[in-house]
Structures are given as C-alpha cells and as structure tokens.
C-alpha cells in the first residue's frame, strides 16, 4: 500500500470519535469524498482530528469559528448538510 | 504469521472511565499493567457523559449513602444486587473525592466544596423529596473525568497499547483466564497478551439498535469475547431507552426541550401524551413517554412514509427561547434531521442509551459464572467493570449519574481484587495452551478467505433494524417471536460476511467486521433474554405480561452462546450491613 493510501486509512479510523454527532458528520464526509482527499486536505483533517471532541463539535456545528485558514475550507465542508 | 507474546501482571481491555480507574490502582501498586484500547483513551465514550456523577456528599443539603442505596434499589426495580448497591453507595464519597484529588475540575459552591445538583430519581429520606446529589464539571463531566484519570495513569507509568483491538480471551484447561489475543491496527499484526489477571472495561453495546445515542465504537466487544469463550452474559434484556433521539441519527435531544414547552405529536397532529399521562403529559418519566411513543407507532399513528417516528414540535415557541435556553438543539436538528425547529417539528424516536446487563460480576469486580451448583463461582483470572459488566447495581433500570459512579467504584475494586489475587498466588505466569491464538487466527482467516461475502455494512444494518423493530422499548409477543428467528438468521449472515479490502494498515473494514462478530452476540443475548422473561420490570416492558412477577422472575437471566442456553442466578437481596430493602411496587 502506498504512503498516501495508508495515511487515508489511518485518518478514517481516527474519525471514530467519542461523540455520536462527530461519527455521523465524518461518516457523511467520507461517503462524499471517497478516496478523493489530497495531501493538503489530509493534513487539514489530521490537524482537526487532534482537537478534543467537544471543541470539535462546537466548531463543526457552527457554535464557534476557526481563524485558521487551513482549517476553514474543511470545516465548511463538514458543515454542509 | 508471526505472533508476538507479551507478558504482564495485568492486562486491561478498555481505556474509558472504568479501565483507567482500574489501571491507576494497579500501576500505583507496582504491578506491570497494560491497557489495550481501540481508540486514544480520551476518545472513549465516557467523554459523552454530561449529567454528572452521584455521591451523597451532602454538600448542598443533608444526604446519606443509605438514601442513595434506597433510590438505586428502587430504580433497579429490585433486580439490583443489594450487596453491590450498598458497596457502591458507601464508596461513592471516597471515589469522588479521590477524583477531585486527581485534578477533576468539579463545579464548586461559594464555600469551595463540590457543587451538587438535583437529578431524576435522587431523593432524600427513602424516597421522600428530591435531593441534590449529582456532582458535575459544567456539561463536560465525562470528558473532565477521563482527562483526570488519564493524567494520573501517565504519572503512574501505565503502559498503553493505543489503537489495538482485543479479539478473544485465552482460557486454560481449568477455565481460568490467561490473557487476550489482540491486533495492532497499524500493522494488522497479532499479539498474545499473557497476564495473571485480565480486566474487561470495554463499555456498552448500544450500537445494536438502529436508533442509538451511542458512538460507533460501542459494539459490545467485551460481551462478544466473553460469550465466545463459553461464559454467560447477564440481564441483557434490560436496555435503557431515551424518548427523544433524532430519527435516523440517534443523537440525543435533551429532556430540557420538553421542559421548555416542546410537544410530542403523532401523524394526526395530536398531542398524544394527553391520553397516556393526563397530568404530566410530555414531561412524564422517560419510560412512560417512550412506551407511549412506541404504542402510537405500533398502532399506525407514526409519521413519515414508513409511519415509524413521531414529531417533537417547538414551532410554537418564541425563537428566542430556542436560541437562548436550548443551545445546540437547533444545530443538532439542522445537521441530523434537516429541519429548523423554529419552523418545523423534529422527527424523534425512542433511542437505545444504556445497557444495564453485561458480564456477571461480584462487587469485588471478579467475574462469576455458575459451576457445580454455586451460582456465584468465580472465574479465576477474569475481572470486569463499567458498562460491560453487570455487578449488578443497575438491575432492570439505571438511575442517571450512577453509571459514572459505577466506573469509579468497580474500576477501583476490580483493581484492588487483582492486587489481592496476584499477591496470594505469587507464582510466575501460568502456562498458555499451545494453540492460544488459533481461534482468533481462524476468525481472521475466515474473513480474508470468504468468497462472495455479504457486505458487513448491510448485515450490520439488518442486525440493528431487527433489534429496533422487534426488541425496542415496548415488547410485543408476536414481534419478539419473529425477532428471535430473525436475529438467528442475521447471525448466520454475520458468519458469511466478507470484506473487499484485505490490506493490513488501519483497515477499518476489517475492524468493523470483527466488531460485528461481537455485536451479534450481544444482540442475541438481548433478544433471547427479552423473549424469555415473561414479565415487565424496569426497562423490560412486555405488552403480554404487563406486571412485575416476583414469584417467577426475581432472578438474573444468564445467556450462553452455545445453543442459546438460558439459565439464571438469584438476585442478592441481602445487603452487606443494613436490612434488605423490601420489595414494593415501583411508583414515583
Ligand atoms: C450521550 C450519553 C450521555 C451520558 N451521560 C451520563 C451521565 O451524565 N452520567 C452517567 O453516570 N452516565 C452517563 N452515560 C453513561 C456513561 O457515559 C457510560 O455508561 C460510561 O461512560 C461507560 O464507561 P466505560 O468505561 O464502561 O466504557 P467506555 O467509556 O465506553 O470505554 C470503553 C473502552 O473500551 C475500549 N474497547 C472496547 N472494545 C475494545 C476492544 N475490542 N479492544 C480494545 N479496546 C476496546 C474502547 O477503546 C474504550 O477505551 C451517558 C451515556 C451517553 C451515551
């Protein structure tokens, strides 16, 4: 398996979270993007997944915003219903 | 395949509240301890708990462990073991204060003590009036608790195996437990963890229902491993449902919504709770509301094309109330129901929330299974704590905030028992059977070699639908009967399921297939337990047996995987030091 594919495999597992809300958001995300995630998006996702679950949910549900331009696009995408 | 063998004094499977609390006990006593976990410890489901943890500290008003014990026995509908309940309620103050010393940022009173809030079912003076017993850290109690416990473990040098999945128990010739076989997700490699003591703290199995408040990780792995090892699982028919989970998603809508004036409506737009609970209406207790909803749906008054849910209407409320007093609800509705509750009602269904049953244990955390006429015979080397275990303190129905307490008390006592048992058998590790990993390897080989396997996703969906439709909040005889044969048919499909991606690195498809092997065991135990128990008690509500039957059913159900055999154990009605809390009708 090449390195990028392995990276996406790892990311998929890291999307298993403690809060059902986030599990559902990430399930929807992967259904949409499939394996079409480039290195830049993967890096953004990795950073987002470092966050604590409650903070991440506040961000994804729109109750707070990020000032980080690298994360903005991804957060927008996760918010799309 | 090369199999690495690792040896420890103790191996703990699970790094939620229960596993981490056990690990502190063991590591601080100097035992060489490994904790295996599917996800990073602070992503365990304990993080989701918001309400709080119960302890009769009496910081806000007079309280007593004996009153807490009474509430818990009554809440359990007398199925809880009174020795275990006394043990838990007496220990509550100690474990909560310990947690405070570990750095848990509890909310505080002006005087600097732990602040306590009221919670459903907490009463003073043996059921007289509500008392403030719940200790919380804002609305992030579980999160704060898990962080405090994790930090303490880091200090104590607990060795974590993060992103490892335990696959099966290893048992010796005498039935004693010798460790587990586990898979490292990053490499797909298999290791044997040999240990003098094995503690299961794998959490719940709420994913078995189509509508569940539980995160994806709660697949009952500890139950599956226990059942495959030939040991029984107890009281699984008792599953607590929350009335308002978002239809299709499960995400919990808090009771507060109905408190602020939200109304439940059926397909005719009728406020049906007026018929079921003329006084309390939409604010009746969880089980009453859930059963009313299930009856409306069963009788054809559900909403939507499949008539399978009801509506929670907030549209008559001032939008300001929704935005200010119910923060988060609007976001949840928009995200997961696609409706803005300011204008449209939220589709909701009764949703599985908490498993009262599990691996039967003594209050010392030691796993028990009947042997040679002793219903409480100990399984040497095996311990369990937390939601996967059944001590049994929750009996037929758990009181809010008693679960976090259960993790602390029984996590700690399981740890103490291991220390005691290891000290009394100081000999080196017992020998492993020659073929210790073979069973797990054969399961993996079956999965990899399966030709034309059925999709894991589809079989899992069939499992969850079967449980929801046949074994939900209100149980009807015709549906249960069909449910038993349907779940057995699903079990056959699980045995034929397959995966397309056979790669090794973080193969989520393989992990999900292995989780499904566990979920099906938990589901069979639940369905068959529900079909067997001919009474209504706590969370088991049968349309054909509407009353509690203490003459025939005041006992714990045991389910064995082999031939779906059902057995039972007596309920421990005798507490440790006080008088038995005598049987009474449970009314509030
Ligand atoms: C939304 C929600 C709110 C709640 N609120 C409250 C509340 O306010 N108060 C209260 O008392 N209770 C509450 N509960 C219940 C309570 O949170 C849980 O019962 C409790 O957190 C379970 O803790 P645990 O340690 O048993 O398991 P978990 O926290 O679920 O941890 C299980 C651990 O086992 C690991 N694991 C599982 N299988 C394997 C395997 N095969 N191999 C390796 N590792 C494995 C996981 O990685 C994880 O680390 C709530 C539950 C929900 C769903």
């Amino acid at each position: 398996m090449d390195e990028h594919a392995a990276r996406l495999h790892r990311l998929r597992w890291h999307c298993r979270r403690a809060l059902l809300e986030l599990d559902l958001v990430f399930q929807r995300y992967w259904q949409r993007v499939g394996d079409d995630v480039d290195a830049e998006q993967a890096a953004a996702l990795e950073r987002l997944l470092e966050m604590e679950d409650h903070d991440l949910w506040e961000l994804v549900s729109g109750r707070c915003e990020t000032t980080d331009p690298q994360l903005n696009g991804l957060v927008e995408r996760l918010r799309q219903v | 395949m090369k199999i690495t063998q690792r040896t420890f004094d103790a191996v703990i499977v699970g790094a939620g509240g229960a596993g981490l609390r056990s690990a502190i006990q063991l590591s601080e006593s100097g035992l060489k301890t490994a904790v295996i976990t599917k996800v990073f410890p602070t992503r365990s489901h304990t993080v989701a708990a918001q309400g709080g943890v119960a302890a009769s500290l009496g910081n806000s008003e007079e309280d007593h462990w004996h009153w807490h014990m009474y509430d818990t026995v009554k809440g359990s509908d007398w199925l809880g073991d009174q020795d275990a309940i006394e043990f838990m309620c007496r220990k509550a103050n100690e474990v909560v204060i310990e947690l405070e010393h570990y750095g848990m940022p509890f909310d505080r009173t002006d005087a600097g003590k732990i602040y306590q809030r009221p919670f459903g079912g907490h009463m003073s003076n043996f059921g007289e009036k509500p008392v403030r017993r719940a200790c919380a850290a804002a609305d992030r109690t579980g999160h704060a608790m898990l962080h405090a416990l994790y930090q303490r473990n880091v200090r104590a040098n607990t060795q974590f195996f993060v992103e490892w999945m335990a696959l099966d128990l290893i048992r010796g010739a005498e039935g004693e437990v010798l460790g587990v076989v586990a898979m490292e997700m990053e490499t797909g490699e298999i290791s044997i963890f040999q240990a003098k003591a094995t503690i299961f703290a794998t959490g719940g199995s709420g994913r078995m229902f189509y509508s569940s408040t539980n995160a994806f990780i709660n697949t009952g792995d500890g139950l599956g491993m226990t059942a495959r090892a030939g040991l029984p699982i107890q009281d699984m028919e008792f599953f607590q449902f929350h009335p308002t989970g978002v239809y299709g998603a499960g995400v919990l809508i808090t009771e507060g919504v109905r408190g602020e004036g939200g109304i439940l409506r059926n397909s005719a737009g009728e406020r049906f709770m007026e018929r079921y609970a003329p006084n309390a209406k939409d604010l009746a207790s969880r089980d009453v509301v859930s059963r009313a909803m299930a009856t409306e749906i069963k009788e054809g008054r559900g909403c939507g094309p499949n008539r399978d849910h009801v509506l929670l209407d907030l549209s008559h409320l001032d939008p300001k109330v929704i935005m200010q007093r119910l923060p988060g609800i609007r976001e949840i509705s928009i995200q997961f129901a696609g409706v803005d509750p300011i204008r449209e009602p939220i589709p909701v269904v009764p949703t599985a929330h908490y498993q009262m049953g599990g691996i039967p244990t003594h209050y010392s955390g030691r796993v028990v299974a009947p042997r040679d006429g002793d219903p409480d015979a100990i399984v040497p080397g095996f311990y369990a704590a937390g939601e996967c275990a059944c001590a049994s303190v929750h009996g037929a129905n758990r009181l809010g905030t008693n679960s976090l307490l259960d993790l602390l008390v029984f996590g700690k006592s399981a740890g103490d028992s291991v220390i005691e048992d290891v000290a009394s058998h100081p000999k080196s590790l017992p020998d492993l059977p020659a073929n210790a990993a073979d069973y797990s390897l054969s399961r993996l080989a079956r999965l990899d070699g399966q030709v034309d396997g059925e999709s894991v996703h589809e079989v899992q969906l069939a499992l969850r639908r079967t449980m929801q439709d046949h074994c939900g909040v209100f149980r009807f005889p015709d549906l249960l009967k069909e449910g038993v044969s349907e779940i057995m048919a699903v079990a056959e499909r699980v045995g034929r399921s397959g995966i397309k991606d056979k790669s090794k690195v973080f193969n989520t498809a393989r992990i999900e297939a292995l989780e499904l092997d566990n979920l099906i065991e938990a589901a069979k135990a639940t369905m068959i337990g529900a079909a067997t128990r001919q009474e209504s008690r706590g969370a088991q509500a049968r349309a054909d047996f509407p009353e509690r039957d203490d003459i025939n059913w005041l006992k714990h159900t045991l389910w064995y995987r082999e031939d779906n055999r059902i057995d039972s154990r007596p309920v421990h009605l005798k507490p440790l030091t006080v008088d038995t809390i005598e049987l009474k009708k449970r009314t509030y």
Side-chain angles (χ1 to χ4, degrees):
Chain A
M1 183 185 286
D2 72 38
E3 233 171 83
H4 184 68
R7 186 180 190 186
L8 295 193
H9 261 71
R10 176 180 291 109
L11 275 172
R12 273 181 194 262
W13 182 252
H14 286 178
C15 286
R16 276 283 190 104
R17 310 303 288 191
L19 300 180
L20 174 62
E21 287 86 332
L22 292 171
D23 278 343
L24 293 167
V25 164
F26 286 118
Q27 182 183 49
R28 194 168 63 195
Y29 171 81
W30 288 106
Q31 273 163 1
R32 275 188 201 148
V33 299
D35 285 332
D36 192 10
V37 176
D38 62 23
E40 200 181 324
Q41 288 161 353
L45 195 52
E46 274 159 7
R47 293 208 17 232
L48 206 65
L49 293 174
E50 289 294 310
M51 288 176 72
E52 294 295 343
D53 280 340
H54 289 282
D55 298 335
L56 185 51
W57 170 241
E58 296 224 320
L59 185 59
V60 170
S61 68
R63 288 175 68 199
C64 70
E65 298 296 334
T66 168
T67 49
D68 184 332
Q70 198 198 3
L71 296 186
N72 246 330
L74 178 58
V75 170
E76 271 315 308
R77 209 160 172 174
L78 291 172
R79 281 179 186 173
Q80 277 160 25
V81 176
Chain B
M1 187 189 270
K2 185 173 132 288
I3 295 176
T4 311
Q5 191 166 326
R6 300 163 197 273
T7 55
F8 294 90
D9 290 318
V11 56
I12 300 172
V13 183
L20 291 183
R21 186 64 193 81
S22 289
I24 292 175
Q25 226 46 23
L26 297 174
S27 294
E28 290 189 347
S29 80
L31 291 187
K32 189 179 169 205
T33 306
V35 176
I36 302 177
T37 171
K38 291 198 285 190
V39 293
F40 191 77
T42 54
R43 305 242 194 287
S44 300
H45 196 50
T46 296
V47 164
Q50 301 189 334
V53 49
S56 58
L57 295 167
N59 285 352
S60 302
E61 58 195 312
E62 191 188 358
D63 201 359
H64 197 281
W65 64 260
H66 202 182
W67 301 344
H68 183 190
M69 174 180 173
Y70 177 86
D71 296 344
T72 305
V73 171
K74 178 177 171 186
S76 82
D77 217 348
W78 276 268
L79 194 75
D81 285 338
Q82 297 197 18
D83 50 356
I85 295 175
E86 178 179 339
F87 183 81
M88 178 177 83
C89 296
R90 287 182 84 129
K91 287 266 180 194
N93 293 4
E94 171 191 317
V95 294
V96 163
I97 288 166
E98 257 165 13
L99 188 62
E100 185 184 27
H101 293 163
Y102 295 163
M104 169 91 170
F106 280 115
D107 296 343
R108 301 202 170 268
T109 63
D110 292 340
K113 291 186 179 165
I114 295 174
Y115 171 80
Q116 299 190 276
R117 44 166 114 143
F119 214 93
H122 295 177
M123 310 288 272
S124 71
N125 210 11
F126 307 100
E128 218 174 75
K129 61 175 198 315
V131 68
R132 286 181 273 174
R133 188 178 290 147
C135 314
D139 60 356
R140 291 192 182 185
T141 308
H143 168 94
M145 177 167 146
L146 213 52
H147 277 261
L149 294 174
Y150 179 63
Q151 289 310 327
R152 185 82 184 186
N153 270 292
V154 170
R155 215 181 87 169
N157 278 325
T158 302
Q159 195 174 342
F160 284 97
F161 290 82
V162 175
E163 293 166 343
W164 282 69
M165 181 175 186
L167 302 179
D168 285 292
L169 271 179
I170 304 172
R171 293 184 78 189
E174 308 290 313
E176 73 280 26
V177 168
L178 305 171
V180 292
V181 179
M183 179 179 78
E184 183 178 26
M185 294 182 184
E186 181 158 14
T187 58
E189 273 174 26
I190 303 298
S191 286
I192 287 175
F193 287 74
Q194 184 188 14
K196 295 176 189 164
T198 302
I199 303 182
F200 271 10
T202 51
S205 60
R207 293 308 299 171
M208 78 168 74
F209 288 94
Y210 184 74
S211 193
S212 167
T213 64
N214 286 198
F216 290 1
I217 194 151
N218 285 9
T219 51
D221 293 5
L223 306 182
M225 290 186 270
T226 302
R228 282 194 299 276
L231 292 166
I233 305 181
Q234 179 168 295
D235 290 341
M236 284 297 290
E237 60 272 33
F238 300 102
F239 234 101
Q240 190 168 71
F241 282 73
H242 194 287
T244 53
V246 173
Y247 170 72
V251 178
L252 202 147
I253 303 271
T254 79
E255 252 107 15
V257 169
R258 279 168 288 138
E260 291 295 341
I263 290 172
L264 290 163
R265 297 189 190 280
N266 62 17
S267 57
E270 181 202 5
R271 182 180 193 180
F272 59 86
M273 281 311 299
E274 286 180 333
R275 269 188 282 123
Y276 296 88
N279 294 320
K281 296 186 184 125
D282 300 272
L283 290 175
S285 67
R286 278 185 188 176
D287 53 336
V288 172
V289 178
S290 290
R291 259 178 300 215
M293 290 166 71
T295 306
E296 290 298 297
I297 292 168
K298 163 97 168 144
E299 292 180 354
R301 292 186 293 279
C303 304
N306 299 324
R307 300 189 165 270
D308 55 359
H309 59 271
V310 300
L311 297 172
L312 178 58
D313 190 4
L314 282 69
S315 58
H316 53 287
L317 300 183
D318 183 342
K320 268 196 238 130
V321 170
I322 298 179
M323 311 282 265
Q324 282 165 14
R325 293 215 218 125
L326 300 169
I329 294 305
R330 188 164 178 233
E331 287 86 349
I332 286 176
S333 315
I334 293 173
Q335 276 283 336
F336 302 115
V339 302
D340 183 344
I342 290 178
R343 285 186 294 273
E344 282 173 89
I346 313 169
V348 291
V349 279
T351 297
H353 188 50
Y354 182 85
Q355 144 200 325
M356 269 76 70
I359 305 164
T361 66
H362 180 254
Y363 60 83
S364 63
R366 295 179 179 95
V367 174
V368 298
R371 197 177 53 231
D372 302 334
D374 176 4
D376 298 337
I378 280 162
V379 181
F382 195 24
Y383 309 77
E387 193 168 335
C388 75
C390 183
S392 140
V393 285
H394 311 299
N397 174 57
R398 172 192 70 122
L399 283 194
T401 72
N402 262 354
S403 170
L404 290 185
L405 177 60
D406 163 349
L407 311 184
L408 295 172
V409 170
F410 296 107
K412 182 177 180 185
S413 78
D416 284 336
S417 300
V418 168
I419 295 167
E420 205 181 296
D421 294 349
V422 168
S424 63
H425 299 283
K427 73 177 172 88
S428 56
L429 288 158
D431 291 336
L432 287 178
N435 53 357
D438 279 11
Y439 183 51
S440 299
L441 292 176
S442 72
R443 288 175 56 219
L444 291 166
R446 201 284 301 156
L447 198 57
D448 278 343
Q450 183 71 42
V451 184
D452 294 333
E454 266 206 81
S455 136
V456 168
H457 180 74
E458 272 166 32
V459 180
Q460 192 222 50
L461 203 63
L463 185 161
R464 294 171 54 211
R465 276 249 78 106
T466 303
M467 293 308 294
Q468 189 81 22
D469 295 346
H470 295 269
C471 198
V473 66
F474 206 0
R475 290 158 182 180
F476 303 91
D478 48 337
L479 290 179
L480 275 175
K481 194 156 171 260
E482 279 169 26
V484 172
S485 45
E486 284 190 23
I487 203 68
M488 292 313 293
V490 171
E492 279 188 23
R493 292 173 65 190
V494 171
R496 293 194 303 268
S497 62
I499 49 174
K500 293 205 180 76
D501 175 2
K502 316 247 155 123
S503 60
K504 297 279 184 219
V505 180
F506 281 104
N507 185 340
T508 298
R510 175 175 290 121
I511 298 164
E512 285 175 350
L514 294 166
E515 288 177 330
L516 184 60
D517 279 350
N518 296 321
L519 200 59
I520 187 66
E521 301 303 338
K524 284 188 289 182
T526 306
M527 182 76 83
I528 291 162
T532 305
R533 185 177 283 273
Q534 298 186 337
E535 66 161 349
S536 291
R537 179 189 300 269
Q540 155 98 337
R542 283 195 52 161
D544 47 347
F545 297 98
E547 300 299 327
R548 193 175 85 193
D549 174 358
D550 291 325
I551 295 173
N552 296 301
W553 293 102
L554 183 59
K555 57 187 179 186
H556 297 298
T557 310
L558 295 177
W559 170 85
Y560 291 82
R561 180 171 186 255
E562 193 176 24
D563 302 328
N564 283 318
R565 183 162 68 87
I566 291 283
D567 195 359
S568 66
R569 290 176 61 224
V571 174
H572 295 184
L573 291 169
K574 194 166 164 25
L576 299 172
T577 64
V578 291
D579 289 339
T580 295
I581 293 171
E582 296 296 341
L583 287 156
K584 258 206 300 207
K585 201 172 161 65
R586 180 170 156 253
T587 51
Y588 287 99

